[in-house]
Amino acid sequence: MRAGAASTSADGIRRQELDGRRRSDAAAAFGFLAPDGIGLLLFIIIPTAMALVVGLFSVDGFGNVEWAGLDNFRLMAGDGLLWRSFGITAAYAALFVPLAFFASLGLALLVKDHFRGVGAVRAALFLPNAVSLVVIGLLWQFLLTDKTGALAKLTGLDGVSWLGDPSLALVTLVLISVWFLMGYQMLIFLGGLQDIPREYYDAATVDGGGPWQRFRHVTWPMLRPTSFFVLVTSTINAITGMQVFDLVFVTTSGGPANATTTVVFYAYQQAFQFGRFGYAAAICALLVVALGAITAAMFALTRGGRFDD
């Protein structure tokens, strides 16, 4: 009897210790997640909810607020310029995401091994991302200005209007954006490459695998979570990131002939140029819903970055 009672008492003590550890681990987890959670609440969830609410009103920015109901959302259905801006944003994303992905992955593969001056090379590739996009826009505008741009003169292409031709302006902004962000994405890929155990490459080499076989059967599968993160973040950047507003605002102001008017820039125009804050808020609410759907689809199609595993 005493032995049984002692065993029951010991089991109870162990359960109490286990429950205490679980509570301690949960408290630590919540402590680490709290800063990101607060930031998500303050800068994403609350502004999105406010945009949805403001979208139900007619607001001119001068204190005049009137209930509009769903009028702003109905107005979007017949706004041809809005849907054109969605098409321009989609075209921008379709060009930017794969170009930035493969450019940054290629750079990461080039600088993943240690050699003399590798730190300086990595820093030089990342440097554009450390500069304000406004400065980047002004710099490229100086380089690509029609007939007088420094780069145009050096390359002998001073007759090409890189930012003034509707057929070239969007592609030019995509290339500038890739140049701006590829260093940042390179560092993300570099972190993923450095996490791959060296033993896997050694085993592939012993089995007779060349560089392509090692990349295909070792590097690419092991980079899937990193690749998924880069794809999701670059897609978000291509739709709502700074380069689809700051860069457009500084270099082209949505022109020529609205050829570079993205959804974000169109919403800015509606709010701050035409005083239609309620309509702009409705556009932003629709954009957030569309972005959420795209992100959810990417998670579903790739199983959260696991792909076909």
Side-chain angles (χ1 to χ4, degrees):
M1 294 291 293
R2 290 179 180 176
S7 175
T8 302
S9 177
D11 289 341
I13 292 173
R14 281 195 292 269
R15 280 196 295 270
Q16 291 178 356
E17 292 177 349
L18 183 60
D19 290 341
R21 290 197 201 98
R22 287 174 178 170
R23 286 193 293 270
S24 178
D25 291 343
F30 280 118
F32 282 113
L33 291 174
D36 282 341
I38 293 172
L40 183 66
L41 178 65
L42 293 178
F43 300 108
I44 302 296
I45 297 176
I46 292 178
T48 301
M50 291 178 64
L52 182 59
V53 171
V54 175
L56 300 175
F57 292 85
S58 176
V59 185
D60 64 4
F62 295 97
N64 299 314
V65 180
E66 296 180 4
W67 174 257
L70 298 178
D71 289 349
N72 286 323
F73 295 93
R74 295 191 188 100
L75 185 61
M76 287 190 289
D79 190 343
L81 288 177
L82 172 63
W83 298 112
R84 182 184 179 188
S85 69
F86 267 103
I88 291 171
T89 302
Y92 177 93
L95 291 171
F96 169 78
V97 173
L99 285 176
F101 181 90
F102 289 110
S104 55
L105 176 59
L107 291 176
L109 292 171
L110 289 175
V111 300
K112 72 181 181 69
D113 296 323
H114 288 282
F115 55 86
R116 185 184 296 273
V118 65
V121 173
R122 292 173 180 173
L125 292 172
F126 178 77
L127 186 60
N129 197 254
V131 181
S132 166
L133 254 177
V134 174
V135 176
I136 294 294
L138 292 173
L139 171 64
W140 281 100
Q141 190 179 49
F142 167 75
L143 293 174
L144 298 175
T145 300
D146 297 357
K147 298 182 180 180
T148 60
L151 185 61
K153 286 186 175 182
L154 288 174
T155 58
L157 298 175
D158 51 337
V160 179
S161 182
W162 298 102
L163 296 174
D165 187 337
S167 64
L168 294 176
L170 186 66
V171 176
T172 302
L173 291 184
V174 168
L175 295 177
I176 296 173
S177 300
V178 171
W179 174 81
F180 173 73
L181 278 175
M182 66 182 182
Y184 167 73
Q185 294 185 354
M186 175 200 71
L187 291 184
I188 298 175
F189 274 122
L190 194 60
L193 289 170
Q194 292 177 342
D195 281 343
I196 301 175
R198 184 66 194 176
E199 291 79 5
Y200 291 175
Y201 291 107
D202 294 338
T205 302
V206 170
D207 289 341
W212 169 246
Q213 286 76 19
R214 291 196 295 271
F215 174 81
R216 180 182 176 185
H217 298 291
V218 178
T219 304
W220 184 247
M222 296 296 291
L223 274 182
R224 282 175 176 173
T226 305
S227 300
F228 177 72
F229 176 80
V230 171
L231 283 175
V232 170
T233 54
S234 62
T235 300
I236 294 173
N237 275 328
I239 297 175
T240 62
M242 292 184 297
Q243 72 269 21
V244 292
F245 176 76
D246 294 31
L247 195 60
V248 170
F249 183 87
V250 173
T251 56
T252 65
S253 296
N258 294 319
T260 59
T261 300
T262 60
V263 178
V264 174
F265 189 78
Y266 186 75
Y268 159 80
Q269 286 180 315
Q270 294 300 310
F272 295 99
Q273 293 184 7
F274 307 127
R276 304 169 71 188
F277 287 87
Y279 186 53
I283 293 173
C284 291
L286 176 63
L287 183 60
V288 169
V289 171
L291 186 59
I294 292 171
T295 305
M298 293 178 70
F299 269 90
L301 291 173
T302 65
R303 299 179 60 195
R306 294 187 295 273
F307 294 85
D308 57 355
D309 290 342

